Amino acid sequence: MPETRIVATSAGPVEIVQVPGERPPVLFFPGGHCSARCNCGWDLYTESGHGVVSFSRPGYGASRVGPLSAESFAPLVREVRERLEISEIAAAVGVSFGGLQAVQAAADDRLGVRRLVLHSAAPSGLPYPDTRAEAILGPVVFSPLLQGLVWALLRGMVRSDPGLRRMLARLSTLPVEDWWDELDVADRDEARALFRAMRSDSGFVADLRQGRARGGSARREVMSRVRCPTLVTGSPHDRGVSFAHAVDLADGIPDAVLVELDSPSHLFWIGPGRARLISIVTSFLDD
């Protein structure tokens, strides 16, 4: 696991993980409950030779910039790029809730992002979470006060295969017995490592605040300002984020293509569909 690094910005320290590569880097924005050190699929890019700069978004990890929105954090992403002396950005990549930040980065002409990739991203112009129960319970269960205890319990649960199976079942619309055996030992270990690295800190509550219905028109306006080619991927089997968000993002971003995946869960990069996904991403960035 690469070491985290702190980059000083005008608003405070921003935590990143920088993975070197022979090809221009992607700016990688992990999803909810994930700091820069959580590998939410960044090796889809490192395996094709690209470097990665992964960000701890506001409220996550050691980033101490206050409860900034994705729009307000975008100038700090520019500052990080300047301090790292990155001359070319291959793409902005957003996973799940990180899609908000990736869209803002792509809409920022001064940042010079050449491509945008959104994996299982939400919210689009549609509100997120997708259910009223999640919208009500999420800010309570994963509040800064309770999240440490919640994640300690979840980390203990995924130590065993039955516990990991229960966690993954919550992220899929398919019966888990239909696809559990398709995951090999390496897949299960990767999922287990991800859950062990997760924390909500104060970032998840901030994410939920930005996903409300009343912000939908503003999110659509930013989507309409993205001028670079965009790849949107999503799976209809994803219970973590409705496929409707992928459709809405592809409809709202001018030069976007939607690719439907057969991933069985929200962890789209884990499982037998990984090879196809790497091919899709590599072809898009090389086009």
Side-chain angles (χ1 to χ4, degrees):
M1 167 65 68
E3 295 295 322
T4 57
R5 173 180 173 182
I6 300 298
V7 178
T9 73
S10 58
V14 172
E15 181 183 58
I16 65 166
V17 167
Q18 188 170 17
V19 184
E22 297 178 355
R23 308 180 72 183
V26 302
L27 304 183
F28 193 92
F29 300 102
H33 310 299
C34 292
S35 68
R37 65 190 301 270
C38 292
N39 182 355
C40 303
W42 75 44
D43 46 7
L44 298 173
Y45 299 88
T46 58
E47 288 184 19
S48 59
H50 287 279
V52 167
V53 180
S54 178
F55 286 76
S56 288
R57 297 182 292 107
Y60 289 105
S63 288
R64 297 289 184 269
V65 295
L68 297 183
S69 66
E71 180 182 11
S72 299
F73 188 62
L76 305 188
V77 174
R78 282 203 311 269
E79 291 184 32
V80 171
R81 176 200 171 159
E82 292 165 1
R83 281 165 173 71
L84 297 180
E85 299 181 344
I86 296 173
S87 60
E88 183 180 357
I89 299 170
V93 180
V95 173
S96 195
F97 254 129
L100 276 173
Q101 197 65 62
V103 170
Q104 287 284 350
D108 184 347
D109 292 336
R110 294 174 60 188
L111 196 54
V113 171
R114 294 176 52 199
R115 297 280 193 276
L116 171 62
V117 186
L118 300 171
H119 296 299
S120 300
S124 57
L126 305 174
Y128 185 82
D130 295 312
T131 69
R132 180 170 176 78
E134 290 172 322
I136 293 172
L137 293 176
V140 177
V141 175
F142 295 108
S143 68
L145 189 62
L146 295 180
Q147 63 89 31
L149 174 61
V150 171
W151 283 108
L153 293 172
L154 294 178
R155 282 193 290 271
M157 187 170 78
V158 300
R159 289 174 184 165
S160 68
D161 272 3
L164 179 63
R165 179 173 168 146
R166 286 195 296 272
M167 281 291 289
L168 292 176
R170 298 173 183 174
L171 299 177
S172 177
T173 63
L174 299 172
V176 69
E177 57 268 18
D178 289 356
W179 53 275
W180 171 257
D181 290 338
E182 296 177 359
L183 303 180
D184 60 24
V185 172
D187 292 330
R188 297 176 191 181
D189 286 346
E190 187 172 2
R192 190 173 280 115
L194 176 68
F195 287 125
R196 286 176 174 170
M198 282 180 163
R199 284 184 59 88
S200 306
D201 299 318
S202 63
F204 190 68
V205 172
D207 285 343
L208 293 175
R209 189 163 53 243
Q210 295 181 78
R212 293 171 179 167
R214 67 184 180 213
S217 59
R219 295 193 297 270
R220 290 188 192 280
E221 192 276 330
V222 178
M223 289 158 54
S224 72
R225 290 193 280 112
V226 175
R227 294 290 177 254
C228 62
T230 299
L231 171 66
V232 181
T233 72
S235 170
H237 310 311
D238 183 349
R239 190 177 177 185
V241 170
S242 168
F243 187 67
H245 289 281
V247 174
D248 192 58
L249 286 163
D251 286 344
I253 296 173
D255 188 10
V257 59
L258 172 61
V259 176
E260 181 177 324
L261 306 177
D262 58 1
S263 307
S265 81
H266 189 53
L267 306 188
F268 60 92
W269 68 97
I270 296 177
R274 178 188 180 89
R276 176 184 175 231
L277 183 54
I278 290 176
S279 176
I280 291 168
V281 167
T282 301
S283 297
F284 176 72
L285 294 185
D286 289 348
D287 186 8

